[in-house]
Amino acid sequence: MNNEATSISSEEKILTGDRATGSLHLGHYVGSLSRRIDLQHQYHQTILIADLQGLTDNGFNPTKVSSNILNLMADYLAVGIDPTKTTICLQSALPALSELTMYYSNLVSVSRLQRNPTVKNEIANKEFGTSIPTGFLTYPISQAADITAFKGTLIPVGDDQLPMIEQTNEIVRKINTIADKKVLVECKPLLSKTPRLPSPDGKNKMSKSMNNCIFLGASEKEITKAVKGMYTDANHLRVDDPGQIEGNIAFTYLDAFHPDADLVQSLKDHYQRGGLGDSKVKAVLNDCLQELLAPIRSQRELFLSDKAELLATLKAGTVSAHEETQQVLLDVKGLFGLNLFEI
Ligand code: ATP
Ligand code: MG
């Protein structure tokens, strides 16, 4: 990962966010967090705790969002996000983000929002029927506000976020056309080698809202249980049978998390030849996940034991983000001729 990061222009500004809808999981770790841990050493990086976006499908259940803000803080710090290098801030405390959303909303049609494939898929999964919350349908606009408010140019995300980045760039181009100059800059996604970690049953992407996660703070028992229940090859009935790798989630996880690619390849060869049982593959995976998560779990508990400190760190990051985002808001208001005075 470091090698790729060094080929990135030193001018890049890194911006990512996570919805405050639950603690972070292995999908976050491998899809985005591990990138952020590397990138913070070389680039200006901001992480936004997207509590307002979390409310877009939890408006009637706000505690789910408010109670998870500090869990996210603890997760970040436990995996090695360093608040002296990365600005960690809170969406709801940054009014510029909501105001920019209002300006951008006038530039995006409802039909364009309805065509966003990720939103479409999420709407179907959440079974909103005809009662789609307006905020949910329009969250790609609020993400455009988040990215542009920080002048984000490089966005380390999972592949579910590609349509959001496309929509952000459409808005950027519209704003620049209205202004007849480059007020905002376009951004690019940065995908990891595992841009979509599936759930252990292989049915969906691992998602906080889908109750299918191995959390970064999972206990030893929870990890073992999830690995034991992991989908492998349904036709691999006897140890001696040749097994299939494709679609075999235990191997997907080994590819994503095991540090020894040669060992994983030899396991794959053996499995495909026949003679390697699922339980042996899962034992290797279990060891590797236990080793990865044990230190994160204990660090996380340590950070959560001082919530006042977590809150103070978040507040400090948010204060510095406030000034940065207000400036972009002023520029955008200006191009609409609506910066008559400040109060
Ligand atoms: P929710 O179910 O509330 O939407 P989530 O688990 O999808 O939660 P988000 O907060 O929406 O998590 O996503 C934060 C970041 O993590 C995004 O960049 C997203 O692409 C990435 N991400 C989330 N889940 C995965 C996954 N399973 N694999 C790879 N990246 C992921
Ligand atoms: Mg999501």
Side-chain angles (χ1 to χ4, degrees):
M1 277 175 217
N2 270 325
N3 294 343
E4 286 178 53
T6 48
S7 67
I8 297 166
S9 149
S10 60
E11 302 296 310
E12 304 286 8
K13 289 187 85 179
I14 319 291
L15 185 276
T16 43
D18 304 285
R19 283 156 48 90
T21 45
S23 297
L24 298 182
H25 52 66
L26 285 178
H28 296 115
Y29 187 81
V30 82
S32 173
L33 275 179
S34 50
R35 288 280 195 192
R36 304 182 209 174
I37 299 162
D38 287 346
L39 290 165
Q40 67 180 343
H41 299 292
Q42 284 162 282
Y43 306 97
H44 181 292
Q45 174 165 263
T46 304
I47 294 179
L48 182 70
I49 296 186
D51 54 348
L52 281 182
Q53 201 197 113
L55 275 186
T56 61
D57 52 343
N58 290 293
F60 295 96
N61 185 17
T63 343
K64 178 169 178 190
V65 174
S66 56
S67 65
N68 274 304
I69 293 170
L70 294 187
N71 282 334
L72 289 194
M73 280 301 288
D75 285 328
Y76 296 143
L77 303 186
V79 297
I81 297 291
D82 175 352
T84 67
K85 297 190 153 78
T86 296
T87 305
I88 310 175
C89 55
L90 186 64
Q91 191 182 31
S92 63
L94 294 166
L97 305 184
S98 299
E99 287 193 52
L100 283 170
T101 304
M102 282 300 285
Y103 287 96
Y104 297 168
S105 294
N106 304 311
L107 308 176
V108 182
S109 69
V110 173
S111 64
R112 175 65 185 94
L113 289 163
Q114 286 167 332
R115 280 201 308 275
N116 181 307
T118 297
V119 176
K120 228 170 155 173
N121 188 30
E122 287 174 337
I123 285 173
N125 281 338
K126 289 174 196 294
E127 298 177 353
F128 286 134
T130 52
S131 305
I132 306 163
T134 310
F136 193 83
L137 186 66
T138 58
Y139 89 71
I141 305 178
S142 118
Q143 274 193 224
D146 301 340
I147 294 171
T148 55
F150 291 98
K151 299 191 171 144
T153 57
L154 196 63
I155 321 293
V157 281
D159 68 4
D160 60 305
Q161 293 303 306
L162 296 178
M164 312 308 162
I165 290 177
E166 194 181 321
Q167 278 205 262
T168 298
N169 287 335
E170 285 171 21
I171 291 173
V172 166
R173 290 193 287 272
K174 284 177 181 166
I175 288 283
N176 290 344
T177 303
I178 295 168
D180 201 18
K181 63 178 180 191
K182 204 168 161 185
V183 177
L184 301 177
V185 287
E186 292 194 32
C187 60
K188 298 180 291 288
L190 182 67
L191 295 178
S192 76
K193 75 168 176 130
T194 312
R196 176 179 297 241
L197 187 75
S199 52
D201 64 10
K203 290 188 178 149
N204 283 294
K205 98 167 179 70
M206 185 176 282
S207 263
K208 291 186 233 97
S209 307
M210 294 194 78
N211 207 16
N212 62 13
C213 301
I214 302 177
F215 291 105
L216 298 182
S219 68
E220 217 176 307
K221 265 192 181 161
E222 286 166 335
I223 299 167
T224 304
K225 188 170 172 221
V227 172
K228 273 200 177 139
M230 198 165 273
Y231 183 78
T232 52
D233 170 5
N235 296 318
H236 188 235
L237 300 176
R238 281 174 296 267
V239 171
D240 290 339
D241 290 344
Q244 194 170 316
I245 303 298
E246 205 177 303
N248 186 320
I249 305 301
F251 280 105
T252 306
Y253 275 57
L254 281 171
D255 278 334
F257 296 102
H258 204 288
D260 186 344
D262 292 338
L263 175 82
V264 173
Q265 188 54 51
S266 72
L267 289 174
K268 284 182 182 174
D269 294 342
H270 193 172
Y271 194 81
Q272 282 173 310
R273 271 198 318 271
L276 180 62
D278 284 1
S279 59
K280 289 219 170 113
V281 175
K282 287 182 173 180
V284 176
L285 176 61
N286 187 49
D287 286 349
C288 139
L289 293 182
Q290 298 287 1
E291 201 170 312
L292 171 73
L293 293 181
I296 297 176
R297 179 169 59 238
S298 64
Q299 281 294 303
R300 195 179 177 275
E301 276 161 21
L302 204 63
F303 284 117
L304 277 173
S305 68
D306 191 349
K307 293 201 166 135
E309 179 64 25
L310 286 179
L311 196 59
T313 306
L314 178 59
K315 187 175 174 191
T318 308
V319 167
S320 97
H322 180 64
E323 204 175 313
E324 198 179 347
T325 53
Q326 282 300 123
Q327 190 49 55
V328 174
L329 174 64
L330 278 183
D331 292 346
V332 170
K333 285 178 82 165
L335 78 93
F336 285 105
L338 296 178
N339 56 347
L340 302 186
F341 48 79
E342 278 185 66
I343 50 169

